[in-house]
Amino acid sequence: MALVLNEEQQMLKESAQGFLAEFAPVAELRKQRDAGSETGYGDKLWAQMANMGWAAILVPEAYGGLDFGHMGMGQIVEQSGRTLTASPLFATAVLGVTAINLAGSEDQKAELLGAIAAGEITTALAVDEKIHHAPTQISMTAVKQNGGYVLNGAKRFVADGSTADKLIVAARTAGEAGDAAGISLFVVDRNAAGVEVERTEMTDTRNYANINFHNVEVAETALLGEEGKGFKALSGTLDAGNVYLAAEMLGICQESFERTLQYLKERKQFGVLIGSFQALQHRAADWWSQVELCKSAVLKALQAMDEGDVKAPVLASVAKAKLCQVTELSTNEAIQMHGGIGMTDEYEIGFFIKRARPAQIMFGDNSYHTDRFALLCGY
Amino acid sequence: MSNLQLFRQETRDWLEQNCPLSMRQPTSGGDDACWGGRNYTFASEDQKLWMERMAAKGWTAPDWPTEYGGGGLDKGQRKVLKEEMARINARSPLDSFGIWMIGPALLKFGSEALKQQHLPPIVRGEIRWCQGYSEPGAGSDLAGLQSKGEDMGDHFIANGQKVWTSYGDKADWMFCLLRTDTEAKKQMGISLVLFDMETPGVTPKPIKLISGSSPFCETFLDDVRVEKDQVVGDVNHGWTIAKYLLTHEREMIGGMGSAVVGGESLSQHASQVLGLEQGRMNNPMLRAEVASWEIDAACFGFTAERVTDEVKSGQGVGATSAMLKYYGTELNKRRFETLLKINGSDGMVWNGEASNGGWLPRTWLRTKGNSIEGGTSEVQLNIIAKNILGLG
């Protein structure tokens, strides 16, 4: 398949660009932050997004979805990187849909995917327990009891963990930390007894949570997929998550580059435009080249997921590793080239670096994915 | 079966019957690549056979029109041929500046007579070409060239000095830039001319490089007679053609970035040399360096693919060759720095059979030229900054 967007995907990209610029630009993020918003996004925003069908894009048609594919969804998420738009799109319409679709029974899919597609419920994925991403290191337990399970443990850095209706929780039903086998996925109501949620405000002012599970009792039907065999679906969900984080970072890279380029063409020092200095021209040209590589890496990974390519996990790590690298470059260069004004809260360029870093570390940073890439390639 | 599937089957069968076994392994990167030409000595009977068989089908220049001896393949067929050759690890039958550079320029800008005269011998590997662009005072600033062509009516008399003429001492013909109007502005008044290297007054002199080899020459032009019917395009309007040709050169040099070592990928080679322990390469710092390089190389490969697809679908910006040249050559240099580290003291062996005649250190030193030839990395960054980003 050609590595370019088709007409429908291009249209979706343009409509997302228009919508986000109007209803959820960077100014909206500032507004939510200054108002101390609990969710990090406007009240009506998610409903509007769901109305446009964005919650249903990855949901198969059989469950009430649009089945429009990753190439399409990737364009929306990329645009949301340009506007730094916070919303449940990632945690619900990407992570939730992917996990349920990969692991769920027919009943679970019919119930949960249908509700997500219709914009009725939101989800959050609870994986990590330590400060660094390590999905096999799960030690939270789920013990079979009275025909159901009892969950005990703690999760951290859960995106949308304090607002989601349903938590998709990875817990251990067998084995010990370090084993991929023995991990099971559960769908848990956020309001279930024993679930203690602490919202943690991060640099991007988005909605994350640390969550304690204290003797939380769930029914057998809460098990998503087979007991002890949840790692495969979890891993596939994390791959998708990483590709979309890469897509969002691509938007961040492009936007911070373009804003900086514009600044280089406006700002004068020593009586001339700073963009006339070769020292800055060469750095800008290198930066642009790096972003071009990023565009290809993200497209390739999205396409691999659509095609069910066996190399999709490798390509997900390529995309995430490269985007982590170039997003660090982009946000740092953006501030440096803007000079003093780049350090002010009043100016928007500094907002990009504060969203970029959480996106980089979520589900594994550059070093994590470089290591994973090498392992997947057999060395 | 679709036409393309049929073509694939035929191609596979033909290659199976016609590609000698010894041509189904990578070249050492040294003298066993086939360059052709009037005085060429083939390294083996197989090498000669392989070039001649491919040339007879026009597959040394598969996408050129059949009327000039090319293969006449469309893009889909071209891709199939490439894939089928890669499948059996078949070598390129002919390496040629004729095919890579002057051929495409002639196809686009040359007169019918010039095409008829020069293209078929290029396809057959009979004439080896060299490039007369750079001069001692005009390398990166190519438009500053001074070599003159004095108008004598039906011919020019050329005088001057060219430098960095790749394989000038082995070439049969030169495509050369001359200043044919000294009054005009820098870029105007330049003509692209063709002449035989055996014309009286042409003297190529090899330049020894830090790699110990001499792939480049300085070439002196003393009263060289150049016929006017050997001007490509119009007299004094060669600059556009020169730039077009440079784009091809950039793509060719940039394309080397993701190549492999003797058929192995960088990580395979490193795993061999360093060994694995519990599935991980034995040196963690080098392992990280190798993985990071392979990730960048993958992204570079995807970008070349994307640019091609964009051009095909009519969305291309067409100005990315500078970027591919810049990044590809930097990648290639990084690859060889990493290879040296992987191979430790063995990587420094300059002579000796086990080191394949010092292939690694010599090629490593050769790669330093990648970001200089065809326009330096700094020139590529200037092009991106000015032409793409609009920074003045």
Side-chain angles (χ1 to χ4, degrees), chain B residues 21-311:
Chain B
L21 285 178
S22 67
M23 294 293 107
R24 301 186 193 186
Q25 50 185 316
T27 60
S28 69
D31 295 334
D32 59 345
C34 177
W35 286 90
R38 279 198 295 243
N39 305 311
Y40 190 67
T41 318
F42 288 93
S44 68
E45 199 50 41
D46 279 355
Q47 191 195 41
K48 183 164 184 276
L49 205 60
W50 176 225
M51 187 195 84
E52 286 173 352
R53 285 174 174 172
M54 285 291 274
K57 281 188 87 74
W59 284 1
T60 49
D63 49 350
W64 290 9
T66 48
E67 54 192 299
Y68 306 119
L73 303 189
D74 62 28
K75 274 176 186 155
Q77 292 170 324
R78 177 79 218 270
K79 191 162 168 254
V80 167
L81 174 60
K82 227 171 149 181
E83 285 165 1
E84 288 303 316
M85 284 176 68
R87 201 179 62 84
I88 59 167
N89 223 354
R91 285 181 191 186
S92 159
L94 179 63
D95 287 356
S96 159
F97 296 121
I99 291 169
W100 298 331
M101 297 173 70
I102 188 63
L106 282 174
L107 277 169
K108 197 170 164 72
F109 300 99
S111 65
E112 186 56 34
L114 282 178
K115 290 182 197 173
Q116 295 284 3
Q117 180 189 353
H118 293 298
L119 295 178
I122 290 176
V123 173
R124 294 193 295 265
E126 291 165 3
I127 295 294
R128 184 170 179 173
W129 288 82
C130 66
Q131 182 200 55
Y133 269 36
S134 294
E135 298 185 3
S140 289
D141 181 17
L142 184 60
L145 62 89
Q146 296 300 325
S147 286
K148 256 186 284 189
E150 198 183 340
D151 196 333
M152 309 298 282
D154 62 340
H155 68 278
F156 291 105
I157 291 294
N159 277 289
Q161 186 190 344
K162 294 290 172 181
V163 75
W164 307 124
T165 323
S166 307
Y167 303 109
D169 54 337
K170 294 174 176 155
D172 305 310
W173 275 67
M174 176 184 273
F175 49 98
C176 181
L177 291 177
L178 294 178
R179 186 161 294 288
T180 41
D181 182 353
T182 46
E183 306 295 311
K185 261 194 6 191
K186 230 176 160 191
Q187 275 89 355
M188 302 302 293
I190 292 173
S191 301
L192 179 63
V193 304
L194 314 176
F195 57 79
D196 193 315
M197 292 295 278
E198 283 177 4
T199 314
V202 182
T203 316
K205 212 177 119 201
I207 303 168
K208 194 169 176 180
L209 300 183
I210 48 176
S211 63
S213 58
S214 310
F216 298 106
C217 292
E218 17 178 22
T219 304
F220 298 90
L221 308 175
D222 297 303
D223 290 335
V224 178
R225 184 185 166 108
V226 180
E227 299 304 329
K228 273 212 177 145
D229 62 7
Q230 296 302 315
V231 176
V232 185
D234 294 331
V235 172
N236 295 335
H237 290 84
W239 184 243
T240 315
I241 312 171
K243 278 200 303 186
Y244 174 80
L245 218 144
L246 275 179
T247 307
H248 273 263
E249 183 181 30
R250 269 180 219 142
E251 280 164 8
M252 178 187 87
I253 299 170
M256 301 184 309
S258 44
V260 290
V261 195
E264 286 178 319
S265 70
L266 185 61
S267 61
Q268 283 168 337
H269 180 75
S271 300
Q272 281 274 320
V273 175
L274 301 169
L276 298 181
E277 201 173 313
Q278 291 181 330
R280 279 184 162 87
M281 211 178 278
N282 254 327
N283 182 321
M285 297 297 277
L286 276 176
R287 175 176 180 267
E289 189 171 321
V290 169
S292 177
W293 185 87
E294 289 206 326
I295 286 170
D296 284 348
C299 294
F300 180 75
F302 301 155
T303 304
E305 185 184 337
R306 177 170 64 87
V307 168
T308 310
D309 288 344
E310 281 175 353
V311 170

Side-chain angles (χ1 to χ4, degrees), chain B residues 318-330:
Chain B
T320 40
S321 73
M323 177 259 165
L324 293 174
K325 201 275 178 183
Y326 163 65
Y327 202 80
T329 57
E330 295 299 329

Side-chain angles (χ1 to χ4, degrees), chain A residues 208-230:
Chain A
Y208 301 89
N210 290 338
I211 307 179
N212 286 312
F213 295 82
H214 187 67
N215 289 328
V216 176
E217 293 180 22
V218 295
E220 203 179 7
T221 52
L223 179 67
L224 198 62
E226 272 185 78
E227 185 184 298
K229 292 184 178 165

Side-chain angles (χ1 to χ4, degrees), chain A residues 2-4 265 275-276 278 281-282 285-286 288-290 292-293 296 300 315 322 370-371 374-375 379, chain B residues 267 271 279-281 287 291 294 296 302-303 305-306 309-310 323 326-327 378 381-382 384 386 389 392:
Chain A
L3 215 49
V4 288
K265 292 176 179 177
S276 67
Q278 197 175 52
Q281 286 179 0
H282 282 192
D286 176 69
W288 177 83
S289 303
Q290 297 280 354
E292 285 298 303
L293 298 180
S296 326
K300 194 78 183 176
L315 294 171
K322 186 67 191 170
T370 303
D371 175 65
L375 279 177
Y379 64 97
Chain B
S267 61
S271 300
R280 279 184 162 87
M281 211 178 278
R287 175 176 180 267
E294 289 206 326
D296 284 348
F302 301 155
T303 304
E305 185 184 337
R306 177 170 64 87
D309 288 344
E310 281 175 353
M323 177 259 165
Y326 163 65
Y327 202 80
E378 288 71 20
L381 291 173
N382 282 345
I384 296 169
K386 290 188 168 60
L389 305 181

Side-chain angles (χ1 to χ4, degrees), chain A residues 196-216:
Chain A
E196 297 160 11
V197 176
E198 176 211 350
R199 186 177 182 227
T200 52
E201 201 178 322
M202 316 289 268
T203 53
D204 58 3
T205 66
R206 287 199 186 181
N207 169 22
Y208 301 89
N210 290 338
I211 307 179
N212 286 312
F213 295 82
H214 187 67
N215 289 328
V216 176

Side-chain angles (χ1 to χ4, degrees), chain A residues 141-162:
Chain A
T141 57
V143 177
K144 216 164 187 170
Q145 199 175 295
N146 303 331
Y149 294 87
V150 177
L151 276 50
N152 275 293
K155 295 287 177 183
R156 63 199 308 162
F157 200 34
V158 180
D160 289 359
S162 64

